[in-house]
């Protein structure tokens, strides 16, 4: 680099950067000369080529003005310089410079017309501004001339205005005299128009004017008439005030309050108003109930009008109970709404007055008096809230307890709860009351009703279970319990316009109160048609039928409900809701359904029966009642748990109870499941069907709370080998129970939200010890199928015929292995046949295969334990047989690892143990029976050890077996 710089110095050359620094700013950024432009135009004119040259320029050239180009290029030179490379690189830089210059020149030429046009616009704007300045100057000059010329005219106008004011004063005096002469007529008109403030104001003004013009004989007798008129106005004011209690009208009430204020009797008006409200409540409820009693009596006898309200309520019939209650609450609502709007009016009026006083504080005495009146009215109104609500509660309580509700239909009772719950909500918004009177009265009725209702439902559930054929109820794969009418209340947002029974338990109450919502019209107690009439359910699958008629007829055939109560019949209607399904089953279950080997292209719809669906509907109804009446939440949840308990106990009793297989000691029923079943049997199941009439009253009451144990329908066949001993029915029963448990898990947060804190341990215990054990019932139920599906006894007979004391190592396995594998193939075929009727989920098929393989392996060990003589070659043959069995079995099932594989292999390998190893092995492997261990000692070591050693080993086995006895 130093050599190049010295060479440039000798030749008198300067670097481009130095040349640029010597130029003035104008010269540095001058427009290219014609020669330069010509030189540019001589360059290639292909725009694409030029753009490529410009794009090839390094970005560092565009960085900033302080960039030293020469230094940058010199630093980039290689250590060894080549003249040819330098010239090539120089030419490249010249090309880039020429391309940039060409681009700059083109841009200048392109923008020049726009520059000229903009310059012309600026010149035109300058001329316009000059003209505007001239116009403004002339305008100001003319305004000054007009101002000087009109002064005299203005003074004349002022003089005329003064004369006008004097004439107006004179006219006012004449009108006052005329008004005083027409006062009586005008006051009567104003009272008819209910313009009480105007009438009082006119009367007071007339009294004042009369005192002013009393020297006139025409108005001398007016004072006595005006006093009589004032007293008449007060009487009419009291009547007008009483009308406020039932139908508040803001204009009407404003006039009444203004009138009382003009009279100076604001406090008296408030006392009278509360008396009218109390009287309105009594008169309203009496008239409503009397109307229904007379309507139901069908005569015009006046004896009912003489009855007390309490006695009158006992004459209400069951049919008219709900309409009368609704009308009663609607009438009371109107009274409370009027009181609420009265308070609103006073709050708004007080704020307006306070604002006026703060802006004008001259009349201190009047302000203090008004403030005292406002405070009195405010306290009186606040105190009246609780008084009025207490009166309402007592009237409704008397009506509630006047009729026995225990025989009401469920929907009717829920409707009563809806109305009372809405009324309690009104009370809480009205005065912050918890409505203890109403709660206690409805709680008594609810507990009494619910016990009777639950007892009936349990009996119906037993009837359903005893008539259940455990056929699959075809529901859609998107089925969710929230699509059922009974659970609609969980989907709807909690707002005052929604009935409390249709509100979710965990929803946050809306900020809009009932009084705000219905302040300008409507009534929260209007009876609306049930949503079931308009909304329908879409939960049943089409089942692959060609037409709706075929599906309908087939479904009716499938589900004959001739003996089903009318209340539950309507639950089977195939209706359409259009609601998006909400997942209520576990992800693990869904994943298992997708991987099931026995789906056979079936939709992964939930497995449930009609009875399951009925239980779910009952749970929804129970939750509706619990959601409305939270004080009985524990009782309701306890009864809900009994529904699940009874269903679980029925499934176990029908399909899982088998003392012979439970005695195998394989832990088919977990200790938790056994504890749960024992608890259900003790607390819910009535085992003494034929009651002893001489039993104590306490025992009879306890038995009344229990239900007889259900019996499996004779239509369900569990003895057919071709049908795998009722496997389809067992799958439907157990998996419907699992599905029911999943729905309870889904509902747990809602139940936990309404459960009293002191009772939450019961709910937690129910879920941890009962609901979670539903899937554990699969093992004992499917064990019975696995124990019968394969002929294990035949295997033992075939194994007993095998000679195990062979002298040669065999290369061919024994026949019993093929026979056992053939049994498994037949089991697999029948399992596929069953899956055509009912989808077999993966957990079920896995449990079935696991049970069968486990039983087969234990049968092999039992067969080996029956061997009388066995050589080393025979032990090798055992291993060969077992390996052949495993190899073929792994092609039939995907279960890995094979259950109890080590159980067999360990037993076979024990034949090779020595005496000392055998003793340790026996102590470590307590899973084998005494017979199996004894056979090992006698057959394996019998020929190699003395009698004393054998006795020692047998004693060890006996010590291990003793705790099991």
């Amino acid at each position: 680099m130093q050599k190049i710089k010295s060479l440039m110095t000798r030749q008198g050359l300067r670097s481009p950067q130095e040349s640029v620094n010597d130029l003035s700013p104008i010269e540095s950024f001058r427009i290219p000369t014609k020669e330069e432009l010509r030189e540019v135009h001589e360059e290639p004119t292909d725009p694409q080529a030029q753009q490529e040259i410009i794009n090839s320029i390094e970005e560092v050239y565009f960085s900033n003005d302080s960039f030293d180009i020469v230094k940058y290029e010199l630093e980039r030179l290689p250590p060894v310089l080549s003249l040819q490379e330098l010239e090539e690189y120089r030419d490249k830089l010249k090309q880039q410079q020429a391309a940039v210059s060409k681009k700059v020149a083109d841009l200048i030429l392109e923008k020049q017309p726009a520059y000229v046009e903009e310059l012309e616009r600026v010149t035109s704007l300058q001329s316009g501004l000059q003209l505007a300045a001239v116009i403004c100057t002339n305008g100001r000059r003319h305004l000054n001339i007009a101002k000087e010329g009109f002064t005299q005219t203005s003074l004349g106008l002022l003089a005329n205005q003064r004369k006008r004011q004097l004439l107006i004063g004179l006219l006012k005096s004449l009108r006052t005299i005329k008004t005083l002469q027409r006062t009586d007529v005008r006051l009567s008109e104003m009272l008819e128009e209910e313009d009480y403030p105007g009438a009082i104001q006119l009367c007071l003004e007339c009294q004042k004017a009369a005192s002013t013009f009393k020297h006139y004989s025409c108005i001398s007798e007016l004072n006595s008439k005006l006093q009589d008129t004032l007293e008449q106005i007060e009487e009419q004011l009291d009547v007008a005030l009483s009308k406020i209690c039932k139908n508040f009208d803001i204009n009407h009430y404003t006039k009444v309050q203004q009138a009382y204020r003009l009279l100076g009797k604001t406090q008296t008006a408030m006392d009278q108003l509360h008396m009218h409200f109390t009287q309105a409540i009594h008169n309203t409820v009496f008239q409503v109930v009397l109307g229904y009693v007379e309507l139901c009596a069908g005569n015009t006898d006046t004896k009912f009008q003489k009855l007390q309200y309490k006695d009158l309520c006992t004459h209400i019939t069951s049919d008219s109970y709900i309409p009368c209650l609704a009308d009663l609450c609607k009438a009371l609502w109107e009274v409370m709404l009027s009181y609420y709007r009265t308070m609103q009016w006073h709050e708004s009026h007080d704020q307006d007055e306070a604002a006026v006083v703060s802006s004008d504080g001259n009349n201190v005495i009047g302000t203090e008096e008004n403030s005292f009146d406002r405070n009195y009215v405010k306290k009186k109104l606040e105190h009246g809230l609780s008084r009025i609500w207490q009166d309402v509660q007592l009237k409704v309580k008397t009506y509630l307890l006047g009729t026995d509700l225990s025989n009401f239909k469920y929907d009717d009772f829920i409707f009563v709860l809806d109305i009372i719950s809405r009324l309690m909500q009104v009370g809480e918004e009205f005065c912050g009351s918890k409505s203890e009177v109403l709660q206690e009265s409805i709680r008594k009725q609810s507990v009494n009703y619910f016990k009777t209702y639950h007892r009936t439902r349990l009996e119906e559930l037993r009837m359903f279970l005893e008539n259940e054929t455990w056929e699959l109820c075809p529901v859609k794969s998107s089925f969710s319990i929230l699509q059922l009418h009974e659970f609609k209340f969980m989907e709807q947002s909690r707002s005052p316009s929604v009935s409390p029974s249709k509100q979710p338990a965990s929803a946050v109450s809306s900020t809009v109160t009932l009084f705000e919502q219905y302040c300008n019209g409507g009534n929260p107690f209007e009876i609306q048609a049930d949503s079931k009439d308009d909304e329908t359910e879409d939960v049943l699958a089409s089942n692959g039928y060609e037409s709706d008629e075929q599906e309908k007829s087939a479904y009716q055939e499938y589900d004959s409900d001739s003996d089903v109560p009318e209340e539950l019949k309507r639950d089977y209607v195939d209706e359409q809701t259009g609601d998006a399904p909400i997942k209520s089953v576990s992800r693990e279950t869904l994943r298992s359904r997708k991987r099931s080997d026995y789906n056979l292209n079936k939709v992964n719809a939930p497995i449930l029966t009609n009875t399951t669906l009925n239980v779910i509907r009952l749970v929804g109804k129970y939750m509706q009642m619990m959601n409305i009446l939270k004080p009985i939440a524990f009782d309701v949840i306890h009864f809900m748990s009994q529904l699940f308990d009874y269903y679980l106990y029925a499934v176990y009793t029908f399909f899982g109870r088998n003392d012979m297989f439970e005695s195998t000691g394989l832990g088919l029923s977990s200790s938790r499941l056994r504890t749960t079943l024992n608890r259900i049997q003790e607390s819910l199941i009535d085992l003494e069907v034929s009651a002893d009439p001489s039993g104590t009253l306490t025992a009879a009451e306890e038995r009344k709370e229990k239900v007889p144990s259900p019996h499996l329908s004779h239509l369900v066949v569990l003895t057919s080998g071709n049908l795998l001993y009722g496997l389809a029915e067992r799958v439907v029963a157990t998996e419907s129970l699992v599905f029911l448990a999943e729905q309870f898990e889904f509902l747990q947060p809602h139940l936990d939200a309404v459960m009293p804190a002191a009772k939450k341990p019961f709910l937690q215990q129910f879920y941890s010890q009962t609901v979670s054990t539903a899937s554990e019932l699969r093992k004992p139920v499917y064990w019975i199928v696995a124990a019968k599906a394969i002929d294990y006894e035949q295997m033992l007979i075939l194994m007993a015929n095998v000679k195990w004391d062979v002298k040669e190592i065999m290369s061919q396995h024994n026949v019993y292995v093929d026979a056992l594998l053939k049994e498994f193939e037949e089991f697999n075929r029948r399992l596929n046949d069953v899956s055509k009727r009912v989808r077999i989920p993966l957990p079920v098929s896995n449990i079935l295969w696991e049970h069968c393989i486990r039983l087969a392996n234990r049968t092999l060990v039992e067969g080996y334990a029956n061997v009388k003589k066995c050589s080393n070659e025979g032990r090798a043959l055992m291993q060969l047989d077992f390996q052949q069995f495993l190899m073929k079995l792994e092609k039939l099932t995907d279960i890995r690892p094979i259950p109890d594989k080590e159980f067999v292999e360990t037993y076979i390998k024990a034949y090779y143990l020595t005496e000392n190893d055998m003793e340790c092995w026996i102590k470590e492997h307590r899973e084998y029976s005494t017979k199996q261990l004894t056979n090992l000692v006698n057959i394996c070591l019998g020929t190699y050890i003395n009698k004393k050693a054998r006795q020692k080993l047998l004693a060890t086995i006996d010590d291990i077996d003793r705790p099991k006895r």
Side-chain angles (χ1 to χ4, degrees), residues 863-882:
Y864 297 150
N866 291 334
V867 174
K868 303 300 181 182
K869 295 180 181 181
C870 183
S871 61
N872 290 333
E873 290 77 9
R875 297 164 194 155
L877 181 58
M878 290 180 184
Q879 288 183 326
L880 175 65
D881 291 345
F882 186 61

Side-chain angles (χ1 to χ4, degrees), residues 2 70 77 79 111 201 239 249 322 351 449 599 611:
Q2 295 298 329
V70 176
L77 292 176
K111 302 296 182 180
Q201 184 69 34
V239 175
D249 180 79
I322 290 179
Q351 291 176 359
Y449 174 83
N599 280 343
T611 305

Side-chain angles (χ1 to χ4, degrees), residues 198-250:
I200 293 174
Q201 184 69 34
L202 178 59
C203 192
L204 295 176
E205 288 177 357
C206 286
Q207 284 182 334
K208 185 177 180 181
S211 62
T212 305
F213 299 102
K214 61 185 176 181
H215 51 279
Y216 293 106
S217 59
C218 60
I219 57 172
S220 58
E221 298 179 358
L222 188 63
N223 280 326
S224 59
K225 291 183 179 179
L226 291 176
Q227 190 62 35
D228 295 339
T229 304
L230 273 178
E231 294 176 359
Q232 181 184 356
I233 291 175
E234 286 189 34
E235 293 177 0
Q236 293 196 21
L237 270 179
D238 191 59
V239 175
L241 190 64
S242 65
K243 295 179 181 178
I244 297 295
C245 299
K246 292 185 179 180
N247 186 15
F248 181 87
D249 180 79
I250 187 169

